Amino acid sequence: MEGFDRVVPHQEGQSRSSTSLLNRRELIRAALFASVATVLGPTFSVAQAVSSGLTAAARGEDGSAVLSDPNWKPAFLNEHQNATLIMVSDVIIPATETPGAKAALVNRYLDLLLSVQPAGFQQRFSGALAFIDDESQKEFKSDFVQLTPENQVWLLNQWAFARENSRWTERDDRHGEPGDPGQRNFQLLKTLIATGYYESEMGQKELGWDGEMTHGPYLGCEHATGTHT
Amino acid sequence: MANDPLQQIYDVIVVGSGATGGWAAKRLSEAGLKVALLEAGRTVTPREFTEHMPVFQLKYRGRDPEIAKTRPIQQQCYACMEYNYEWFVNDLENPYSTPTDRPFTWQRLRVLGGRSLVWGRHSYRLSDVDFKAASRDGFDVDWPISYADLAPYYDIVERYVGISGAAEKNPMLPDGQFLPPMKMSCGEVRLRDSMQKKFGRTLTMGRVAILTQPHNGRAPCHYCGPCERGCFTFSYFSSPFTTVKDAVKTGNCTLITDAIVSHVDMDTASNKASGVTFVTRATKETKQVRGKAVVLCAQALESTRILLNSSTREYPKGLGNSSGMLGHHLMDHVVGGGASGTFEDLQGKPSASPPHRPTGIYAVRFRNTPATGKYPHFIRGYGYQGSSMPSFDFGAPGIGATYKRAVKQGTYDVSLGAFGESLARFDNFCEIDPYLKDAWGIPALRISMAHGANEKAMMQDAAVSAAEMLEAAGAKNIRITTGTEMPGMAIHEVGTARMGTDPKKSVLNPFSQSHDVSNVVVADGSCFVSSACQNPTLTMMALAVRACDHLAERFRRNEV
Ligand SMILES: Cc1cc2nc3c(=O)[nH]c(=O)nc-3n(C[C@H](O)[C@H](O)[C@H](O)COP(=O)(O)OP(=O)(O)OC[C@H]3O[C@@H](n4cnc5c(N)ncnc54)[C@H](O)[C@@H]3O)c2cc1C
Ligand code: SF4
């Protein structure tokens, strides 16, 4: 996808251990000890007024605040697009036992992201939202936001599964760029919405994130020798 | 000023504080020599580490447009991200050129510790199959040293750094001084057993510079995962908090940051280096520091750039370049070949919570070995890094509750990606671009490198062999990648000032000392004669220790 990397939160590893090697308090103590221990001594810098050269993250800034601002206004989307995106995102990732895309403010994150993307990518995105409305008009004579929840699901479901081109194709269709415009537009929206959701705090919790920095060492395979051969 | 650090005459000036420069400063200052350690970048503190910061606290969640604007090249590196991109060089300030048909991606950090802050930590020894490769297949030349020369230095480095890993008794990958290895997943155990049984090939847990038990005052890894964002327990090896810290602690080492070395200063009468000239990062003033010896550890291409920029009337083609070899035989590992699939019958639930094992598995080279004999399609060989872990299935089909369930259900993935030897060729080289300067007015490099037919054949074979091994282990949905990535992509660049016994054919002697100028040592990866296929940094560090111990010995014997 031009102007946009394929986005899945980077996660690896199994959460199978319950015993902590170091608990959080011990870690913080270790850190204090460490920073004292590593004072480098008589460092001599020939730079006098160099800018700090720190990223916002390294300065400890929480960048998520912009999204929860009570006076939030879209920076890229117009009102109708914003309303449509909220609805589409909540059909793709609805609230179940856990919150859905709407509660996770996926529209706001995507608006921020789109506002800094190249024009070509912005147009593809707007085109994808417009395509959904066009199809909605063709089938139900009204915009997507006006459809009943049932019809919203009906409309999107037609593009939600990959179609096979060839049993022998090397490419996994699900990640590819299927030729059908419905699939193409839907897939673009779905990928972005899934990214916006699973990288949000609610989405991370959905994936098992609990805010702890450790649960002890990775234990790996604990089966008897030969189990997997 | 009486104790102005720039008014002293040091025994040794070390340039660069990364993986190798930290070692040089440590060994030399612990030997009682007065050392000035010059670093182009700023200092770094654990306060700026972000390994525990969740992704949603990043404003753009990793897609900050500033990265593409100021680091269009650096962003090709997986480790350059919204968390830490300021550690990587600003490409606008640090340009280099390449011929359009021979692109090279040069990924580097200019900050205390250099790339040791973000490296992947894989640490493997070379063997005599590598040091004496030319004798076996007739391509190019052997190293002037053998495994026995370097083994004691590998021991020193490993004992200090702390390498977790398993002994395998495979002569292609000599065993070392290991802490207990990290653990394999069920999928990896299956692949390991299947590879051993059906192919006679070795799959081992990655040997990495990450502690699995307390070591030299540092705490073991707590498996939070993203090491390239720093580690506030210093559980993986990076130079600022280990070697550099030790050097400064001796009281013999003066660390001078924000000092960008432009060239080595020569005393023509004695044919010896008298110090270095540098430009200050903030104010762009030119300054000098004097020393009895100069040790370059700025990383392969940067050290060579400094030498090329140090030409004099006696050395018109670059300092210490009477051989004409300086800048040539640039190498980087070839990457691009590999395979992935899924183990549909294995259980395991992915989780966004730790433990996240911060490394993977390693498959030992099996082509053109003494045991497997000559392989018809290419010379030398490759190893694989990989992993098999349950992961979230974000690409699952469908919408709604079904999709949410499928994402969490995940798939049990398995993958292998090759790192192959890149042959040392004279026509893969760097030189000074006559028209290009960096933001400090220092002439910049023109880098010209391409992988050849041997590397292409190797990646083709690596893809198919990986697929065969995954399939034999019962993986499904197997897909391969072939082709060679742009040179530089492996971030393992070595060569450009090769060592050798013949001053007409090499730049450095077997102790990484300039043939031409006896008090100039290049103690980073520049000296490599061949790239082998193992990740190079452990070998660079062992060579740096060997070179610096030799230099200290020459000081003791009053030869400098
Ligand atoms: C993401 C990533 C993953 C990697 N993974 C691995 C791995 O798993 N295993 C492995 O073996 N290797 C790995 N590497 C490579 C490894 O980082 C390098 O081989 C190693 O750091 C090289 O050490 P060095 O001392 O030569 O250079 P660096 O560690 O890069 O240090 C060079 C230092 O010199 C300074 N410097 C440069 N020019 C000047 C100048 N003109 N004046 C003053 N100072 C200067 C720089 O600021 C820097 O601090 C990886 C690299 C990256 C980026
Ligand atoms: S995974 Fe281990 S080594 Fe890496 S940052 Fe976390 S604690 Fe440090």
Side-chain angles (χ1 to χ4, degrees):
Chain A
M1 236 181 271
E2 100 267 358
F4 194 77
D5 50 338
R6 190 172 68 88
V7 271
V8 285
H10 173 78
Q11 303 298 352
E12 48 178 48
Q14 280 165 294
S15 193
R16 291 209 277 122
S17 68
S18 49
T19 47
S20 281
L21 181 74
L22 285 165
N23 66 29
R24 190 189 278 226
R25 198 173 312 118
E26 278 164 342
L27 272 172
I28 289 164
R29 210 173 40 234
L32 287 176
F33 169 76
S35 49
V36 173
T38 53
V39 170
L40 281 167
T43 302
F44 174 73
S45 168
V46 291
Q48 263 91 44
V50 186
S51 67
S52 75
L54 296 179
T55 61
R59 291 194 300 270
E61 286 170 21
D62 181 351
S64 64
V66 289
L67 301 186
S68 47
D69 183 346
N71 299 316
W72 179 86
K73 289 255 163 355
F76 165 74
L77 301 166
N78 64 33
E79 282 304 328
H80 177 71
Q81 286 174 318
N82 186 42
T84 309
L85 178 57
I86 291 174
M87 290 241 153
V88 171
S89 71
D90 224 41
V91 173
I92 293 177
I93 302 182
T96 51
E97 333 66 272
T98 55
K102 182 177 174 182
L105 305 177
V106 166
N107 63 311
R108 296 190 182 188
Y109 170 67
L110 292 183
D111 175 70
L112 173 71
L113 186 63
L114 284 159
S115 70
V116 295
Q117 291 299 310
F121 187 79
Q122 292 176 335
Q123 277 156 20
R124 275 184 64 194
F125 182 88
S126 302
L129 278 183
F131 175 87
I132 303 280
D133 266 344
D134 286 352
E135 294 298 307
S136 177
Q137 284 289 352
K138 272 189 222 155
E139 197 160 342
F140 301 105
K141 309 246 166 336
S142 71
D143 281 347
F144 187 80
V145 289
Q146 264 105 45
L147 300 187
T148 63
E150 206 222 314
N151 285 343
Q152 289 179 333
V153 171
W154 170 263
L155 191 79
L156 295 189
N157 249 337
Q158 63 181 309
W159 306 300
F161 292 86
R163 288 157 212 191
E164 225 168 14
N165 300 325
S166 149
R167 289 181 62 78
W168 306 109
T169 181
E170 245 183 34
R171 226 185 167 76
D172 182 347
D173 257 352
R174 294 178 308 178
H175 302 290
E177 289 278 75
D180 167 43
Q183 295 243 326
R184 200 173 56 232
N185 287 313
F186 172 80
Q187 198 56 49
L188 175 69
L189 294 172
K190 181 177 163 185
T191 304
L192 287 167
I193 287 163
T195 301
Y197 178 68
Y198 286 109
E199 288 180 353
S200 72
E201 181 164 3
M202 284 173 184
Q204 287 284 288
K205 286 187 175 144
E206 163 84 359
L207 300 178
W209 179 80
D210 61 6
E212 294 292 332
M213 50 186 105
T214 188
H215 288 291
Y218 174 68
L219 297 178
C221 174
E222 295 175 297
H223 297 102
T225 315
T227 306
H228 302 299
T229 33
Chain B
M1 218 162 47
N3 51 1
D4 180 348
L6 299 186
Q7 291 311 312
Q8 338 240 336
I9 298 182
Y10 295 91
D11 291 321
V12 188
I13 297 167
V14 176
V15 180
S17 68
T20 62
W23 271 105
K26 174 178 161 69
R27 288 309 269 194
L28 294 165
S29 59
E30 285 177 349
L33 297 167
K34 293 284 175 209
V35 175
L37 175 56
L38 268 64
E39 166 54 49
R42 63 175 173 84
T43 191
V44 71
T45 70
R47 280 167 179 278
E48 65 193 81
F49 292 168
T50 53
E51 76 273 29
H52 296 144
M53 187 181 216
V55 63
F56 53 82
Q57 286 183 359
L58 295 177
K59 182 169 179 195
Y60 295 97
R61 299 186 190 160
R63 303 175 193 91
D64 190 335
E66 188 62 19
I67 306 176
K69 233 179 274 164
T70 57
R71 286 154 178 87
I73 295 166
Q74 305 308 310
Q75 68 172 350
Q76 293 170 343
C77 176
Y78 70 91
C80 175
M81 45 183 130
E82 189 170 342
Y83 289 102
N84 66 359
Y85 65 89
E86 287 280 3
W87 286 350
F88 287 76
V89 296
N90 181 320
D91 288 316
L92 310 177
E93 294 176 345
N94 295 277
Y96 63 96
S97 64
T98 63
T100 35
D101 57 339
R102 288 164 76 86
F104 183 92
T105 179
W106 189 12
Q107 298 162 7
R108 51 200 163 128
L109 275 74
R110 272 201 173 175
V111 62
L112 189 72
R115 291 180 293 179
S116 77
L117 288 176
V118 303
W119 70 313
R121 309 160 300 279
H122 279 268
S123 300
Y124 304 100
R125 294 184 176 205
L126 271 55
S127 80
D128 272 333
V129 175
D130 304 305
F131 292 118
K132 306 297 167 197
S135 293
R136 289 170 46 83
D137 59 29
F139 178 82
D140 200 32
V141 294
D142 284 342
W143 288 58
I145 60 169
S146 60
Y147 180 69
D149 295 315
L150 206 54
Y153 299 95
Y154 276 130
D155 285 345
I156 291 170
V157 171
E158 287 170 347
R159 282 205 186 97
Y160 177 83
V161 163
I163 308 286
S164 59
E168 296 288 353
K169 298 198 168 56
N170 183 324
M172 296 303 294
L173 201 72
D175 295 331
Q177 309 294 328
F178 297 137
L179 305 179
M182 291 191 169
K183 296 294 191 334
M184 283 188 179
S185 69
C186 298
E188 291 161 349
V189 167
R190 169 185 285 187
L191 182 61
R192 177 195 67 195
D193 292 353
S194 161
M195 275 174 61
Q196 188 59 55
K197 197 164 127 208
K198 297 176 183 151
F199 300 87
R201 295 172 186 167
T202 308
L203 184 75
T204 190
M205 193 57 225
R207 294 173 180 172
V208 285
I210 307 177
L211 306 182
T212 48
Q213 60 188 37
H215 188 73
N216 291 339
R218 291 187 287 135
C221 173
H222 54 268
Y223 293 81
C224 67
C227 310
E228 53 287 329
R229 284 143 55 178
C231 178
F232 81 147
T233 52
F234 309 122
S235 304
Y236 75 85
F237 176 80
S238 68
S239 62
F241 312 103
T242 55
T243 47
V244 173
K245 185 184 109 190
D246 283 1
V248 172
K249 213 167 58 190
T250 63
N252 289 330
C253 176
T254 307
L255 172 61
I256 303 177
T257 59
D258 307 286
I260 305 168
V261 172
S262 58
H263 61 273
V264 175
D265 297 314
M266 280 296 288
D267 177 53
T268 314
S270 63
N271 186 38
K272 282 192 176 169
S274 58
V276 299
T277 295
F278 64 89
V279 184
T280 63
R281 191 164 68 89
T283 54
K284 302 192 180 176
E285 285 165 87
T286 298
K287 301 194 178 197
Q288 265 148 352
V289 55
R290 284 171 296 162
K292 296 174 197 153
V294 173
V295 177
L296 298 179
C297 293
Q299 67 138 293
L301 286 160
E302 287 282 12
S303 290
T304 292
R305 176 181 171 203
I306 291 170
L307 290 174
L308 289 169
N309 277 332
S310 306
S311 45
T312 62
R313 195 174 320 154
E314 290 71 28
Y315 298 104
K317 294 178 297 171
L319 192 65
N321 191 20
S322 65
S323 65
M325 293 294 163
L326 185 65
H328 293 275
H329 303 104
L330 171 62
M331 298 164 270
D332 176 44
H333 287 143
V334 56
V335 288
S340 63
T342 53
F343 286 128
E344 290 179 342
D345 52 334
L346 282 180
Q347 300 300 313
K349 214 173 142 311
S351 174
S353 267
H356 300 304
R357 191 190 63 193
T359 184
I361 45 178
Y362 188 81
V364 183
R365 172 177 157 189
F366 51 84
R367 292 291 186 223
N368 295 310
T369 74
T372 58
K374 191 171 154 37
Y375 192 66
H377 301 293
F378 53 85
I379 59 169
R380 314 286 163 103
Y382 54 84
Y384 296 103
Q385 280 176 215
S387 76
S388 179
M389 285 285 171
S391 65
F392 295 109
D393 190 7
F394 297 107
I399 59 174
T402 332
Y403 173 68
K404 279 174 89 175
R405 255 197 312 277
V407 168
K408 283 213 289 192
Q409 176 68 35
T411 53
Y412 207 116
D413 295 346
V414 57
S415 66
L416 291 174
F419 284 75
E421 175 155 352
S422 125
L423 295 181
R425 292 196 200 82
F426 185 81
D427 59 0
N428 284 335
F429 68 99
C430 66
E431 63 188 0
I432 297 298
D433 183 323
Y435 307 107
L436 193 62
K437 287 184 173 153
D438 67 17
W440 296 271
I442 305 171
L445 284 182
R446 177 171 177 274
I447 303 173
S448 175
M449 177 170 177
H451 288 308
N454 199 67
E455 286 86 359
K456 287 204 183 79
M458 215 185 255
M459 289 301 99
Q460 166 81 24
D461 182 61
V464 173
S465 299
E468 283 170 355
M469 292 189 287
L470 296 190
E471 186 160 33
K476 303 279 183 261
N477 307 313
I478 294 170
R479 281 167 286 162
I480 61 167
T481 59
T482 55
T484 58
E485 295 275 2
M486 184 193 327
M489 230 31 221
I491 330 176
H492 289 167
E493 69 272 17
V494 289
T496 67
R498 53 169 38 188
M499 58 160 63
T501 44
D502 183 350
K504 290 202 192 65
K505 293 182 176 153
S506 55
V507 180
L508 306 173
N509 78 9
F511 286 99
S512 306
Q513 175 192 327
S514 164
H515 283 301
D516 296 345
V517 183
S518 67
N519 67 342
V520 171
V521 173
V522 186
D524 53 28
S526 309
C527 67
F528 274 48
V529 177
S530 67
S531 75
C533 67
Q534 297 90 318
N535 309 51
T537 309
L538 180 72
T539 301
M540 289 180 199
M541 294 195 284
L543 287 164
V545 173
R546 184 168 176 271
C548 291
D549 283 9
H550 183 72
L551 179 64
E553 182 58 29
R554 285 172 59 219
F555 266 100
R556 264 192 297 275
R557 284 189 266 139
N558 244 329
E559 289 174 11
V560 182

